[in-house]
Amino acid sequence: MTEYLTTYMKYIQEKLEKCSEPSELDGIMSEHLDKIAFMQHERIVHFLVTMLFSVILTIFIAVLVFTPNLPVLILVTIILVLLIFYIKHYYFLENTVQKMYKVYDGILEKQRKFKENAR
């Protein structure tokens, strides 16, 4: 997903820079809004999974406190490592979606300029 989003962001920026007609810009806007919707869905799913792993980690830490044993400690360690990677990925998704909003604002600005130039 990281590579997909990074590639898409480069692609949409290049397409936006090369855009010279309002009709082309409408296509870019439509495509970009679809991608934003997909990424918002992806972001909420990863948020829910991250929260689930956080709750599971908390439960197993509580179990470890009351019944210390090696298998539970290993399980806590595995869940903690997974949670760290989920948080890292969620952070990337969140920041990228916010960048997508800025690109959306850039598209709107370019649409305004086209309308002003048409007058």
Side-chain angles (χ1 to χ4, degrees):
M1 184 57 62
T2 303
E3 184 180 332
Y4 174 79
L5 266 175
T6 304
T7 302
Y8 172 74
M9 290 302 287
K10 287 178 187 174
Y11 159 79
I12 201 70
Q13 288 287 2
E14 288 172 5
K15 203 168 181 180
L16 188 57
E17 288 170 7
K18 293 177 184 176
C19 177
S20 59
E21 295 182 25
S23 61
E24 188 180 355
L25 195 58
D26 292 340
I28 293 171
M29 174 67 92
S30 175
E31 177 184 359
H32 193 61
L33 286 174
D34 286 343
K35 295 292 183 184
I36 287 174
F38 293 151
M39 290 308 116
Q40 286 174 331
H41 180 265
E42 186 78 19
R43 184 176 66 173
I44 193 72
V45 168
H46 277 277
F47 175 75
L48 293 173
V49 170
T50 301
M51 289 302 102
L52 178 65
F53 267 82
S54 298
V55 168
I56 291 171
L57 178 64
T58 303
I59 290 169
F60 278 105
I61 287 175
V63 168
L64 185 63
V65 167
F66 293 113
T67 59
N69 62 30
L70 187 60
V72 176
L73 179 61
I74 292 171
L75 194 56
V76 165
T77 305
I78 291 170
I79 294 170
L80 182 62
V81 169
L82 285 172
L83 184 61
I84 289 168
F85 283 108
Y86 267 113
I87 290 170
K88 180 180 180 252
H89 186 67
Y90 179 74
Y91 179 80
F92 171 78
L93 283 174
E94 182 68 31
N95 286 332
T96 304
V97 169
Q98 289 179 18
K99 288 176 188 174
M100 291 174 88
Y101 294 156
K102 290 178 184 176
V103 170
Y104 173 79
D105 291 340
I107 294 170
L108 289 176
E109 183 63 31
K110 199 162 190 173
Q111 281 180 332
R112 281 188 216 109
K113 287 180 183 178
F114 278 139
K115 287 179 184 176
E116 288 174 5
N117 291 339
R119 292 180 194 170

